[in-house]
Amino acid sequence: MEGSTLRLDDRVALVTGGGSGIGAAAAQMLAAHGARVAVLSRSNDEVRAVSEEIRAAGGEALPLAADVTESEAMAGAIRRIGDRWGRLDIVLANAGINGVWAPIEEIAPAEWDRTLDTNLKGTFLTIKYATPYLKARGGSVIVTSSVNGTRVFSNTGATAYASSKAGQVAMAKMLAVELAPYRVRVNGICPGAIETEIGENTERRSLEGVGVRVEYPEGRIPLTSGRPGHAQQVAELVLFLASDAASHITGTEIWIDGGESLIVG
């Protein structure tokens, strides 16, 4: 693969959940390959910090503080990208939470709503308001899903999370067909265990003795002897899908988990 096919010069990217973890690594990766990057998160401090790192490395970034679950906030944030750069070519819909993991009878409706609103509605709103810009020139949409709900169903209690992640893959496939005439590609990435901060917003409750317990004496991730992956590896996959190197790939999901989901599912 020639390096030039990974260049993103003159293109504009939006990364939601861009303040930390996979989002921050992806924003920096896209900027390093020539994209101008809008970094969006609920935390103003985080997006400013990531944007400053991009600028310090010679890139161009726009920090955006917005909640992906709020329609007006997302419409306004994407409007600011249009006002600033006049285009939007790449969207990484990455914002998400693990939410509450608990037996089904203990998950409160409000807890279910929070997970689905952030992960699924947030992805919908992000793509919805970005679509008019994407249709103008074509582009790439990448949705951060998960091994959960796509290949892995053994994480007992993760019902809301897994459902939201399965829904994201279905959305990506539907939109891949709808937006193909406009040369907009839509794909999903499904990370397994990755060293990020998402575990900090996970609440596990009353799961002792629930479900079927299985032990993997050689470790859950065969490619790395059990060690989790890192955000930089996921960022490299995002770069590939955003670039011309993936020009004929749409409507598919790619698992990036070191083979974890093949033995854990």
Side-chain angles (χ1 to χ4, degrees), residues 207-229:
L207 293 174
E208 298 79 9
V210 177
V212 178
R213 299 300 178 188
V214 180
E215 293 186 5
Y216 303 92
E218 303 301 323
R220 294 167 58 98
I221 308 173
L223 193 62
T224 58
S225 302
R227 295 187 305 276

Side-chain angles (χ1 to χ4, degrees), residues 2-162:
E2 296 183 4
S4 61
T5 63
L6 296 177
R7 291 299 303 175
L8 303 172
D9 301 305
D10 299 323
R11 298 180 208 181
V12 172
L14 165 64
V15 177
T16 70
S20 62
I22 290 171
Q28 292 163 344
M29 179 71 70
L30 296 173
H33 285 78
R36 294 166 284 177
V37 183
V39 185
L40 186 147
S41 172
R42 290 186 302 175
S43 170
N44 192 53
D45 290 342
E46 286 184 348
V47 295
R48 287 187 179 278
V50 173
S51 296
E52 285 303 319
E53 291 176 4
I54 290 172
R55 292 170 185 148
E60 190 172 351
L62 173 66
L64 296 171
D67 187 334
V68 295
T69 70
E70 297 180 2
S71 176
E72 291 185 6
M74 288 306 295
I78 292 173
R79 193 180 308 118
R80 284 186 59 192
I81 298 171
D83 292 343
R84 173 74 172 268
W85 289 312
R87 62 189 293 173
L88 180 56
D89 310 277
I90 300 159
V91 173
L92 173 59
N94 171 73
I97 61 172
N98 277 356
V100 173
W101 291 19
I104 186 66
E105 67 269 28
E106 292 195 20
I107 300 174
E111 293 168 341
W112 172 275
D113 288 346
R114 180 169 179 261
T115 301
L116 271 291
D117 281 354
T118 303
N119 296 353
L120 194 54
K121 180 183 176 183
T123 298
F124 159 70
L125 291 177
T126 299
I127 301 173
K128 171 182 172 62
Y129 292 116
T131 291
Y133 293 97
L134 293 164
K135 282 183 173 181
R137 293 180 175 84
S140 175
V141 176
I142 303 138
V143 176
T144 303
S145 179
S146 172
V147 295
N148 288 287
T150 58
R151 273 185 176 170
V152 173
F153 300 90
S154 55
N155 284 325
T156 301
T159 307
Y161 180 74

